Structures are given as C-alpha cells and as structure tokens.
Amino acid sequence: DGSQPLSAPLTVRAAIAAYKNDPERSGVAAKTRAAWDFRFRAIEELLGPDRLIGSIRREDVRACRDALMKMPANAPKHFPGRPLAEATLLGEKQGLPKLSAKSVILYVELISSLFKWLEREEMVARNPAQGLKGPPQPTEKPRRPLTVDEINALLTTTKPGEDGARPWAYWMVRIALLNGMRLGEIAGLAVKDVVKMEGVWVFRVRPNAYRDLKTVASRRDVPIHPLLLECGLLDLLNDGEPMRMLLQDAPPVAGTSNAAQKRLGRLVRASIADRRASYHSLRHNFRDALRAIGAPQDIAARLGGWSAQGNDAMEGYGSGHSLAMLNTWVRKIGYAEVEL
C-alpha cells in the first residue's frame, strides 16, 4: 500500500549470504559448510557478486555451468588469487585436468538449491536454474572389496619402520579392515574416544573438535577387535591428554581437502593398480567379513555405522545390543591368508 519502503535490491553476494545464514541450515556439518563456502565463491564470481539476483536469467546459470566444466580442478591451489576466467585459460595452456563431471554436478545442484530457496522465500519471482542438469558422468564400475593379495600388499606398504614405530597409516588400514570404520572416523579419534566400558575396550565414535559425523547412525560404540589390541593399540593412550588426537602424526581431517584421504589414496595406488580399489574398499571387505560369519543385519548396521533397513519404528525401541553381544561378533571377524 505504499506505507512501507521497498527493501534494498538483493545482490548475488547478499543472496548467497542469506541462503547460508538461514536458520534451517544451522545444523549443517562444518565440513559441508566449508564445501559450500568453497563452491559458492566460484558461483558468486561467475555470476557477478554485485549483480542483482533478480536479473539472473536462464542463460546466465547455463553459462556458469559451462564455465565450471572448463575450469581446472583445484584452480585456487594452482593459481592463487587469479580470477577464474584467467585460471581457466592458464589451465588449458598447461594441460591441467578439468573439474570432474561429479564435481560440476555438485556445483549445479548448489545453484539450483540456492534459487529454489530464493523463490520459496519470494526473493526472486522465478527459478532460472529449475531443471538445470550437469554434464553426464562417465560410466564407472563401482568400488569393490580388495583381494587377499591386495590387502597383504597394502598391509606391507604400511608396516612399521626399521625403528618399529607404527605410523598413522598402519593403524588406519588395520582399524578399517577389522572394525570397518570410515576414514574420517578413524583419523578424527581423540584419546578419550578409546575407553573400557562394561569390560570391553571400545572406540566411541562421537563428533569432536577434529571432525563431525556423516550420519546419525555413525554415532556408536564399536568394540575394538582383539587383534588391534594385540598389535599394541592401547600404547597410543600412554601419557595422552584426553583431547589429543589418538593418531598424532595423522594429517588433519577438517575441511573440504582431506589430506589424510589423499595420502592414503597415494598409498593404495602405490600398492594396487586397479582404479576401482581404494581405501574405502576396506569397508566393503569388512561388510563381506560380517556376511561370512552370519552376522544379523542389525548387528552389521550397528558395527559399521550404517542405517538399518527395515521397520524404522521398531528399531527405535529398546536400548539396542549390549557391548558384550557386539563384542562377540567382532571377535569372530577374520580374513584367511591375511597377515596383519
């Protein structure tokens, strides 16, 4: 009715800030938020930070997507401080690999999510990114478990040095194989996360200062496999401050660039040529090991931090399996012809 002044026009930069600060995103994990910041910086630059968000058209978001498809991977690392358009030209001249199709799709999904929210909040009249598709992903065979020879090769690569010291990678591989934990869950363990409860030594998988958790089901207590105890895992607790990282020499796990994941990837590539094999393959081996011993699905889900399939209402009743019961199944896990 003209009694209220019009609000100031919303720029691309202000619209992105409003999206990220919306209360419905207050519970977003720190790692996800860091990934947002990284991607939104590129989106903001390509769309124009000071351009009015209402002036963005379909051809603009399509041009943004096409520019991302030409952008070199890790552009800020290769060309710090350079505009993306310049980094793209330099990347082409140097023959650097471009962003993967999967990475471009993540950017496109973020653009679509932004405009969908802006439209819902009546900050734009329409969504110019509606139905926008990323590039087709190349057909890839799924990841697979490692063979016995591949497991032994990886175990050899990460064996103790001449001084007998066990590096962080030694424990990362063996904990993943015997307890099935995710990379971030292991690398982010603090000293206080290894405790004895009800007479059982366990890994307490909880969010901490080093990392968040992937899912609600990830929060769990995992009985430690006896072979890890025989290998001297508890020696890592000696004179340790409760909040200190359990694997002190492990790279940090926070942020979008996971140094631990990259280093472990290089160790896997040095041992195994097949690109379908990865550090994450050890979780596939762990799941197969649970099948081999006939572990019930709810036990497997609890140990691996997977969401149990079935009646969700029924699963919400009771306090769950005891540590003694879980420990009984963990102690049965083994791998024939694997030398730990």
Side-chain angles (χ1 to χ4, degrees):
D1 61 3
S3 62
Q4 297 294 328
L6 294 173
S7 60
L10 198 66
T11 64
V12 169
R13 176 174 290 159
I16 290 174
Y19 173 86
K20 292 196 295 186
N21 294 328
D22 187 81
E24 72 182 44
R25 274 169 282 282
S26 60
V28 172
K31 187 172 182 179
T32 301
R33 191 168 291 277
W36 279 357
D37 290 342
F38 181 79
R39 294 181 188 124
F40 266 135
R41 281 196 294 270
I43 293 169
E44 180 182 302
E45 181 178 339
L46 292 171
L47 291 178
D50 299 320
R51 185 172 177 180
L52 298 182
I53 196 70
S55 70
I56 301 296
R57 297 291 181 261
R58 182 73 171 185
E59 57 266 26
D60 298 315
V61 292
R62 191 183 296 114
C64 179
R65 177 202 60 191
D66 294 346
L68 289 166
M69 291 170 63
K70 298 176 182 177
M71 195 169 75
N74 299 313
K77 178 181 178 181
H78 291 295
F79 310 107
R82 300 288 185 93
L84 291 179
E86 184 180 346
T88 298
L89 291 175
L90 291 172
E92 290 177 350
K93 288 181 179 179
Q94 297 180 21
L96 296 178
K98 295 179 173 60
L99 278 179
S100 67
K102 184 177 180 180
S103 294
V104 175
I105 288 171
L106 291 175
Y107 279 90
V108 170
E109 288 175 348
L110 194 55
I111 296 171
S112 298
S113 177
L114 168 67
F115 278 100
K116 184 178 180 180
W117 178 81
L118 290 168
E119 184 182 33
R120 191 189 75 196
E121 296 296 316
E122 300 181 355
M123 296 181 181
V124 295
R126 58 185 179 75
N127 178 0
Q130 185 172 1
L132 184 70
K133 301 294 184 182
Q137 294 195 62
T139 302
E140 295 179 354
K141 294 183 179 180
R143 288 173 179 167
R144 59 168 178 80
L146 303 183
T147 66
V148 170
D149 288 342
E150 289 170 342
I151 293 174
N152 282 325
L154 191 55
L155 291 171
T156 299
T157 300
T158 57
K159 67 182 181 181
E162 293 181 359
D163 57 356
R166 292 171 169 82
W168 65 278
Y170 171 93
W171 294 111
M172 293 288 294
V173 170
R174 285 154 181 80
I175 294 174
L177 185 63
L178 294 170
N179 274 121
M181 292 166 62
R182 298 177 178 90
L183 184 151
E185 293 171 348
I186 304 171
L189 286 169
V191 169
K192 69 179 183 62
D193 296 327
V194 178
V195 296
K196 197 170 190 178
M197 302 170 57
E198 302 173 20
V200 178
W201 281 102
V202 302
F203 292 118
R204 302 212 76 195
V205 185
R206 301 288 189 276
N208 59 28
Y210 304 117
R211 51 102 172 93
D212 294 309
L213 297 182
K214 184 176 182 180
T215 65
V216 174
S218 301
R219 185 186 180 96
R220 64 200 190 279
D221 296 326
V222 184
I224 298 173
H225 196 285
L227 286 177
L228 293 174
L229 300 177
E230 289 182 27
C231 288
L233 178 77
L234 298 184
D235 293 341
L236 299 173
L237 306 181
N238 292 343
D239 302 321
E241 294 292 331
M243 291 306 298
R244 173 178 65 71
M245 288 183 67
L246 182 69
L247 307 179
Q248 293 187 75
D249 56 336
V253 295
T256 57
S257 180
N258 193 321
Q261 183 175 14
K262 290 181 178 179
R263 292 194 195 178
L264 285 168
R266 287 194 288 269
L267 286 174
V268 172
R269 290 282 74 79
S271 309
I272 306 165
D274 189 345
R275 303 291 296 184
R276 294 176 302 159
S278 69
Y279 175 81
H280 191 74
S281 295
L282 295 170
R283 263 175 72 80
H284 291 261
N285 286 103
F286 178 75
R287 185 64 186 96
D288 281 346
L290 289 169
R291 291 187 180 99
I293 61 175
Q297 187 165 330
D298 56 341
I299 292 284
R302 177 71 180 274
L303 291 174
W306 292 290
S307 297
Q309 301 296 317
N311 191 321
D312 292 337
M314 180 181 69
E315 291 298 326
Y317 281 78
S319 57
H321 297 287
S322 68
L323 286 175
M325 172 64 74
L326 294 174
N327 191 42
T328 298
W329 287 102
V330 168
R331 295 179 68 87
K332 293 179 181 180
I333 294 171
Y335 301 90
E337 302 180 27
V338 169
E339 180 54 56
L340 286 155

